Amino acid sequence: MADVFDEMTGADGSIRPPYGELSRWLSEIPPEVLDHRRREAELIFQRIGITFAVYGETDSQERLIPFDVVPRILAAAEWGFVCRGLEQRVKAINAYIGDVYGRREILKAGVIPEDLVFQNPVFRPEMNGQKVPHDIYVHIAGIDIIRVDASTFYVLEDNARTPSGVSYMLENREIMLRLFPELFSRHRVAPVENYPNELLATLKSVAPATASSDPTVVLLTPGIYNSAYYEHSFLADKLGVELVEGRDLFVKDETVYMRTTQGPQRVDVIYRRVDDDFLDPLAFRPDSALGAPGVMSAYQAGNVTLANAVGTGIADDKAVYSYMPAIVKFYLGEEPLLNNVPTWRCREEDHLAYVLDRLEELVVKEVHGSGGYGMLIGPRADKAQIEAFRTKLKSSPKNFIAQPTLALSTVPTCVEEGIAPRHVDLRPFVLVGRDCVRIVPGGLTRVALKKGSLVVNSSQGGGTKDTWVLDT
Amino acid sequence: MLSRTADNLYWLARYVERAEYLARILEVTQRLATLPIAYGGETNEWESAVATAGCTGAFSTQYSEANEETVTEFLCFSTANPSSIRNCFELARTNARAVRTALTMEMWDAINGTWLQLKRFGNGPTSREEFMRFLRWVQEASLRFDGRAYRTMLRNDAYWFSRLGLYQERADNTARILDVKFHLLLPTNERIGGPLDYFQWAAILRSVSALTAYHWVYKESVKPWLIADLLILKDEMPRSLASCYGNLVQNLDYIAQAYGRQGPAQRQARAIRTRLQNRRMEEIFQQGLHEFIGEFISSNNRLDSAITEQYLM
């Protein structure tokens, strides 16, 4: 594994400029004060009920994601670069999805193998030839980024379906402002609180042509048992839109309505946090009780906008991920600003052979997995685990990709023994409207709280931090 | 507003009110049960508590005897009783979680805080002292929630629907307590007013926190027909049927005004209120209190259905 890049203390041991004030502050603040604030933050989180559920755990229905009070800081220039890269990537993703469900030029050109698209369970034949308002498929993207040195950022994963986590970005900032006003006064931190405003503008901008001049937007949630329910209610509240469940909606004459205390009201834009499979029992899984029967027909008739569109999974699948640099080049004619992590596709014979040879040094991931489940981290696995994985890999190589074990950057973090470096990633949120692309300066920084751990997922014991983008 | 949101607000208020009512009944029961036999009569206080809570049927399928232990468990902590205090708070929070966007931060804080604290009491109190503390705590939780709703909510349909739930539940509770107690205490036209009865009658007043109010209003010793008058017809008594219906009519009118449309719920509520306004206590006793209350409970239930049909589904 390469040397670890710490974002506060550079390779030569000096403090990197964006962290100058923070480093001074950390050395001044008494440990017991910091610890006190940390517990205060925990109490606040518990009281407002920012929780998530971990699937597969029966006893603890709701859990708090640990919050770390030491912020992660990016300089304005670093952020500017990341932003340009994000915008480029999301533009390419939208062009690619439109192409896959349209003229299929990228397949004809042989850039991406056809079976990867057509045999992919996230490919939605219902979307073939389907017009979507303003040709935008992905309105809200969460792009996971890791950093390995002062100038290199990699995209680890694209989330083009229903990315979550933005409520943490907003709540983390609120709590930091409450607990550490003096620390803010020593920095010029770009605000993130306008995110809901930007999101609403984005959603309204993509309303169907048949909508009124002030379109009705709703947020569709699977309900209170969904792990991200807190976020759904939080966002609906900040957006000032109704938080609906499938049973609140019905479709008549290919138009979507919600049941209100004053009778049916037409719905124009659905910011849906329900997966494709469960969206409409008439079009997809017939056993789904979460969706609204007929929504797909209204969508196909062009009377409602779904954000994100149906079938966007074809862009964030891990097998497709490895083709992203080629996708950027194909549609935009530009070199990608943000690189991919080098990736071996186990579907290709020579790649598979390479991976099987080096299982103990690679990270192998399931193509359709998420949340850090079903992956092998070679250097951390024992012999038996590696051999078990080898069998799985050989029997269905198409389901896997492999990447080098990357040294994610570290950021100072409040842990039991004091302040110590812990590995982090970053999920910024990109909003694509008819008028423009909007990116709020910041995002969700996830931190692996266990020493040396590289898994930042909340379901695996990761925590979150506030992310500061300095204005100057 | 989404019909489901209105429905959740309505039930949220009902469950919190119900929890408070159960706590009041139990507090009074505990008090009566500790009286010497000579003052308490022959009635089984614990059995009567279950009847007042309106769940005799569900109780008897699970327990063979109503005593302090079984009734406390059933009405407070049982997960099998859908209306136990624990379940009321669980359901209240579930409803609150489903409508977080319609609640103020203060209300959410109150209901979520209550739910978190509920765990502290585990599966039941370990002593009578702790039990009494628990009952106090339940009442305070309800007062806190109600106070925060009153002080922080916008006066719009969200507020009115939550008030409807509160007054529906309160009217039902007051009617039940009157029915059960009068039924137990006045089986026939026996002579009433002996010293033994005083504690029983005072207990009714206590369970709706009206003992002091009674003395202020009537300046008389405790008499059954005056208690009935206070709890049924007195507008100024916050838990009386008349007062509940004054509030139901008013909140339904606010909704009708905001939506520009009257419906069956408004008409039914007004009809019930008019009936209460035009009655005198002597008539009600002549006609039979039990029949009167029985009729009231069913018309109250019909109003609940009318509200549900008109707005909540």
Side-chain angles (χ1 to χ4, degrees):
Chain A
M1 213 156 92
D3 283 344
V4 174
F5 172 70
D6 187 73
E7 297 191 10
M8 181 162 86
T9 314
D12 59 353
S14 65
I15 299 297
R16 295 181 58 252
Y19 280 87
E21 271 308 312
L22 181 72
S23 159
R24 255 194 298 285
W25 181 79
L26 282 174
S27 63
E28 286 164 13
I29 190 163
E32 63 275 13
V33 173
L34 199 60
D35 194 52
H36 181 74
R37 304 274 177 91
R38 189 176 60 76
R39 269 178 290 147
E40 220 175 312
E42 208 166 281
L43 273 178
I44 298 174
F45 270 112
Q46 199 165 30
R47 285 187 39 168
I48 34 189
I50 311 181
T51 59
F52 76 107
V54 180
Y55 292 118
E57 281 192 17
T58 46
D59 56 332
S60 58
Q61 283 198 334
E62 292 172 34
R63 266 195 356 205
L64 289 179
I65 298 187
F67 171 67
D68 182 63
V69 293
V70 184
R72 189 253 190 103
I73 306 180
L74 292 166
E78 294 171 333
W79 176 251
F81 170 75
V82 168
C83 255
R84 286 190 299 280
L86 290 171
E87 190 165 343
Q88 178 195 51
R89 191 156 177 120
V90 173
K91 267 187 187 157
I93 286 175
N94 271 308
Y96 158 75
I97 300 172
D99 188 28
V100 162
Y101 293 114
R103 303 160 65 95
R104 299 189 174 151
E105 277 166 3
I106 198 162
L107 304 180
K108 287 176 199 149
V111 176
I112 294 180
E114 286 199 358
D115 70 312
L116 191 68
V117 171
F118 297 133
Q119 284 172 31
N120 200 317
V122 295
F123 176 77
R124 296 289 169 197
E126 296 84 353
M127 291 298 288
N128 283 331
Q130 175 67 43
K131 255 313 262 166
V132 301
H134 317 292
D135 296 321
I136 302 168
Y137 291 82
V138 177
H139 310 84
I140 301 117
I143 310 288
D144 291 348
I145 290 179
I146 58 170
R147 182 172 200 181
V148 293
D149 60 45
S151 57
T152 314
F153 294 86
Y154 285 130
V155 174
L156 188 63
E157 198 173 303
D158 303 287
N159 294 281
R161 282 173 257 192
T162 54
S164 61
V166 80
S167 57
Y168 292 95
M169 169 180 91
L170 297 167
E171 292 284 42
N172 288 355
R173 176 62 54 85
E174 284 306 311
I175 283 179
M176 287 298 283
L177 282 165
R178 235 158 107 176
L179 294 180
F180 301 104
E182 79 285 3
L183 187 57
F184 277 90
S185 70
R186 289 158 74 164
H187 291 85
R188 288 174 60 89
V189 182
V192 293
E193 66 187 52
N194 56 330
Y195 177 83
N197 198 43
E198 303 284 61
L199 175 58
L200 189 61
T202 300
L203 293 170
K204 286 196 171 180
S205 80
V206 294
T210 55
S212 71
S213 61
D214 187 20
T216 301
V217 178
V218 299
L219 196 160
L220 175 63
T221 173
I224 62 167
Y225 299 107
N226 184 269
S227 62
Y229 179 75
Y230 170 76
E231 174 157 307
H232 304 161
S233 69
F234 173 88
L235 280 178
D237 201 15
K238 298 278 173 196
L239 292 168
V241 306
E242 292 291 356
L243 177 66
V244 303
E245 295 180 15
R247 56 191 157 126
D248 298 317
L249 301 177
F250 69 93
V251 177
K252 202 181 155 203
D253 302 330
E254 297 182 326
T255 307
V256 181
Y257 296 91
M258 58 179 163
R259 296 175 222 274
T260 78
T261 51
Q262 297 185 75
Q265 186 185 339
R266 185 182 159 164
V267 171
D268 303 304
V269 181
I270 302 178
Y271 173 24
R272 50 94 170 213
R273 298 291 296 262
V274 171
D275 292 339
D276 286 356
D277 272 342
F278 300 98
L279 199 53
D280 180 349
L282 299 181
F284 306 113
R285 276 177 60 158
D287 60 336
S288 167
L290 302 176
V295 159
M296 200 56 195
S297 71
Y299 183 52
Q300 283 165 330
N303 290 332
V304 71
T305 301
L306 295 176
N308 291 344
V310 170
T312 56
I314 202 62
D316 70 5
D317 184 78
K318 287 196 182 68
V320 174
Y321 161 86
S322 63
Y323 295 93
M324 278 309 295
I327 289 172
V328 172
K329 269 180 245 173
F330 186 82
Y331 294 105
L332 307 179
E334 301 167 1
E335 286 299 317
L337 294 169
L338 291 172
N339 286 308
N340 262 15
V341 176
T343 303
W344 292 277
R345 307 168 186 131
C346 299
R347 60 178 7 250
E348 290 172 27
E349 233 170 85
D350 48 336
H351 285 205
L352 177 64
Y354 179 94
V355 171
L356 286 172
D357 258 6
R358 294 170 182 75
L359 276 182
E360 59 290 333
E361 61 193 62
L362 298 174
V363 178
V364 190
K365 296 177 180 173
E366 243 176 298
V367 172
H368 306 299
S370 71
Y373 293 105
M375 62 192 264
L376 174 82
I377 302 179
R380 303 244 187 289
D382 59 31
K383 275 228 155 59
Q385 286 169 320
I386 289 184
E387 287 320 305
F389 216 86
R390 186 188 303 279
T391 319
K392 260 166 77 175
L393 191 52
K394 276 184 181 162
S395 70
S396 54
K398 273 190 180 181
N399 287 343
F400 295 93
I401 55 158
Q403 293 168 339
T405 319
L406 288 171
L408 311 191
S409 59
T410 57
V411 170
T413 301
C414 207
V415 290
E416 270 190 19
E417 58 266 36
I419 301 290
R422 288 292 182 268
H423 295 289
V424 293
D425 78 351
L426 174 67
R427 176 179 290 182
F429 296 88
V430 185
L431 301 172
V432 186
R434 185 185 57 198
D435 43 350
C436 63
V437 174
R438 300 169 169 91
I439 307 175
V440 169
L444 173 65
T445 289
R446 297 186 297 179
V447 53
L449 294 171
K450 261 183 274 170
K451 188 175 181 182
S453 169
L454 294 168
V455 186
V456 296
N457 302 72
S458 52
S459 50
Q460 313 264 312
T464 70
K465 279 172 170 290
D466 191 13
T467 312
W468 291 8
V469 172
L470 298 186
D471 204 30
T472 45
Chain B
M1 167 185 282
L2 283 181
S3 298
R4 183 174 51 84
T5 305
D7 186 59
N8 284 318
L9 286 164
Y10 180 82
W11 281 100
L12 168 57
R14 283 198 78 150
Y15 282 123
V16 173
E17 181 71 16
R18 188 172 297 175
E20 181 190 334
Y21 170 70
L22 289 171
R24 285 179 185 283
I25 297 181
L26 285 164
E27 208 176 54
V28 170
T29 306
Q30 180 72 257
R31 202 183 165 101
L32 284 176
T34 55
L35 280 179
I37 292 289
Y39 296 87
E42 298 275 298
T43 57
N44 180 341
E45 287 313 321
W46 296 104
E47 211 170 278
S48 139
V50 175
T52 320
C55 38
T56 307
F59 181 84
S60 58
T61 60
Q62 289 177 52
Y63 304 91
S64 50
E65 192 197 341
N67 55 36
E68 181 174 4
E69 198 185 327
T70 55
V71 172
T72 302
E73 181 187 270
F74 184 72
L75 292 184
C76 295
F77 299 99
S78 164
T79 46
N81 171 14
S83 282
S84 68
I85 290 176
R86 160 177 290 169
N87 273 338
C88 280
F89 282 145
E90 283 277 350
L91 289 166
R93 181 172 180 274
T94 305
N95 276 285
R97 228 159 95 74
V99 290
R100 280 202 60 157
T101 54
L103 299 182
T104 61
M105 192 61 218
E106 288 82 358
M107 291 167 76
W108 167 253
D109 206 40
I111 197 69
N112 193 46
T114 298
W115 180 78
L116 289 169
Q117 284 170 16
L118 181 65
K119 295 177 196 291
R120 248 190 10 213
F121 291 96
N123 283 322
T126 48
S127 65
R128 287 219 173 86
E129 286 71 27
E130 201 190 321
F131 182 50
M132 289 315 259
R133 268 201 301 280
F134 171 75
L135 296 177
R136 281 274 115 208
W137 171 79
V138 172
Q139 293 172 58
E140 264 157 34
S142 160
L143 289 172
R144 188 162 52 238
F145 177 76
D146 190 44
R148 288 183 180 198
Y150 179 75
R151 286 195 160 211
T152 60
M153 272 184 103
L154 271 178
R155 283 342 189 226
N156 60 12
D157 42 1
Y159 181 73
W160 302 322
F161 280 114
S162 89
R163 294 285 110 175
L164 290 183
L166 173 89
Y167 291 116
Q168 263 283 315
E169 182 67 26
R170 190 173 284 180
D172 187 66
N173 292 340
T174 300
R176 274 179 204 288
I177 206 166
L178 278 169
D179 198 31
V180 172
K181 289 292 179 187
F182 275 75
H183 199 58
L184 274 172
L185 293 171
L186 293 175
T188 52
N189 283 334
E190 276 170 32
R191 183 191 67 91
I192 33 176
L196 161 148
D197 284 348
Y198 170 81
F199 298 99
Q200 293 283 354
W201 295 115
I204 300 181
L205 290 171
R206 246 185 246 284
S207 62
V208 291
S209 75
L211 188 53
T212 315
Y214 178 93
H215 293 300
W216 277 103
V217 173
Y218 300 105
K219 305 187 174 35
E220 278 230 44
S221 58
V222 173
K223 297 201 168 78
W225 53 88
L226 291 182
I227 293 177
D229 183 60
L230 182 67
L231 296 188
I232 296 173
L233 300 181
K234 272 278 174 281
D235 263 332
E236 53 269 56
M237 172 64 212
R239 280 174 196 274
S240 73
L241 304 186
S243 164
C244 289
Y245 265 80
N247 281 300
L248 283 167
V249 167
Q250 189 179 42
N251 284 288
L252 280 164
D253 278 347
Y254 286 140
I255 294 170
Q257 215 162 23
Y259 293 173
R261 214 152 54 98
Q262 300 262 343
Q266 278 81 9
R267 285 192 291 279
Q268 284 185 33
R270 261 199 301 276
I272 299 172
R273 187 186 56 173
T274 310
R275 245 177 291 153
L276 289 168
Q277 282 172 335
N278 295 339
R279 293 312 272 282
R280 280 179 309 131
M281 218 50 232
E282 298 89 82
E283 278 170 37
I284 293 176
F285 269 105
Q286 273 160 20
Q287 181 204 334
L289 184 70
H290 181 61
E291 289 68 27
F292 176 83
I293 299 280
E295 166 56 26
F296 174 85
I297 290 177
S298 20
S299 54
N300 193 45
N301 287 342
R302 279 196 299 276
L303 177 64
D304 171 75
S305 311
I307 292 172
T308 305
E309 266 167 51
Q310 196 172 327
Y311 297 113
L312 310 182
M313 54 193 277

